[in-house]
Amino acid sequence: MRRFLSGNALSLFFLITFLLALAGQSLAGTAEYNDQQLAEGGTPISWAAFVTSSDFAVNVAENWQSEYLQFLLFILITAWLVQRGSPESKKHPEQGFSEEESRTGRYAVPGSPAWARATGLRRHLYGNSLGLLMGAVFVLSWLAQSVAGTAAYNRQRLAQLQDPVGWDGYVMSGDFWNRTFQNWQSELLAVLSMVVFSIYLRQRGSPESKPVGEPHETTGENT
């Protein structure tokens, strides 16, 4: 057990803190929702009712889709574009595409995944599996945001004696795109900051940083 915990400490830390943050969001969201209900003369609801509501679902989904968009873009764009001096960048655009550099096919090494040794579609799918997964989660969370957002938006409209809108009407609305761009811009700014600041600043011991004494112009993680 100790070996498992030490060998998976990083993922376990983020899993636990994610669950704690999600629980905190649900409790704070319930309190905020009930405060609004009381202010409008409505009836408070339970925690269980709130976490299964469209209001909670749309807030969670819109954050998830923006996070996975960030990872999707970063994974794909860094395959083609370079930032001189950043440890988040490859050293040159062509790096990593050849079979030898990718260790696929006849260049596979002992311990390489079976699909890296395969040919045709299997190797192509596995060679792009990380981007495909991130893209799939982004699309699914975007759809979840749009569906839950439609329900939450219509609940507000009905409370104001306005006609509900369909899914397509909500997806074209200012409310949907205000929520969406609000999250996208913050995620893209965070990535930009990491790429640029890591050129000149260091964090001792972190794999996200160059060694403390490495020259600023050194590019790539393998320094």
Side-chain angles (χ1 to χ4, degrees):
M1 177 61 72
R2 182 178 299 177
R3 183 178 180 181
F4 172 81
L5 292 176
S6 62
N8 297 277
L10 185 60
S11 56
L12 288 171
F13 170 81
F14 281 107
L15 174 61
I16 292 169
T17 52
F18 159 71
L19 294 174
L20 290 173
L22 188 63
Q25 178 187 354
S26 70
L27 293 171
T30 304
E32 180 186 18
Y33 183 88
N34 284 335
D35 285 344
Q36 185 176 0
Q37 285 288 94
L38 291 172
E40 296 174 352
T43 304
I45 62 174
S46 66
W47 173 84
F50 177 72
V51 296
T52 55
S53 70
S54 58
D55 292 83
F56 181 70
V58 69
N59 288 332
V60 171
E62 73 181 39
N63 282 306
W64 287 14
Q65 61 94 357
S66 64
E67 295 291 344
Y68 280 94
L69 174 66
Q70 174 195 152
F71 286 124
L72 173 63
L73 289 178
F74 196 62
I75 290 166
L76 296 182
I77 298 303
T78 52
W80 301 98
L81 303 181
V82 168
Q83 175 57 58
R84 188 187 305 274
S86 176
E88 303 298 324
S89 169
K90 298 192 297 186
K91 294 180 180 179
H92 52 82
E94 295 80 15
Q95 182 182 350
F97 284 103
S98 69
E99 287 197 357
E100 183 175 6
E101 289 178 314
S102 299
R103 297 185 183 132
T104 55
R106 64 191 180 92
Y107 295 102
V109 298
S112 291
W115 280 38
R117 302 173 185 274
T119 59
L121 181 61
R122 284 201 301 166
R123 187 194 302 177
H124 176 75
L125 288 175
Y126 189 70
N128 296 278
S129 55
L130 183 59
L132 289 171
L133 176 62
M134 293 297 176
V137 176
F138 164 68
V139 170
L140 290 174
S141 55
W142 185 90
L143 287 172
Q145 176 198 349
S146 67
V147 172
T150 302
Y153 186 67
N154 282 334
R155 184 184 64 80
Q156 293 177 348
R157 289 181 66 85
L158 289 171
Q160 297 168 359
L161 303 179
Q162 296 177 304
D163 292 332
V165 299
W167 175 84
D168 55 338
Y170 178 67
V171 168
M172 298 300 293
S173 70
D175 182 84
F176 177 78
W177 287 106
N178 178 52
R179 286 174 174 270
T180 299
F181 285 127
Q182 199 173 93
N183 284 280
W184 286 4
Q185 56 87 14
S186 63
E187 300 301 336
L188 295 172
L189 176 62
V191 173
L192 172 63
S193 300
M194 186 65 182
V195 169
V196 175
F197 293 159
S198 62
I199 299 173
Y200 305 103
L201 305 178
R202 309 286 188 268
Q203 180 58 56
R204 186 185 299 272
S206 175
E208 299 303 316
S209 168
K210 293 185 287 191
V212 177
E214 196 72 30
H216 292 326
E217 62 271 16
T218 302
T219 304
E221 294 185 7
N222 299 320
T223 55

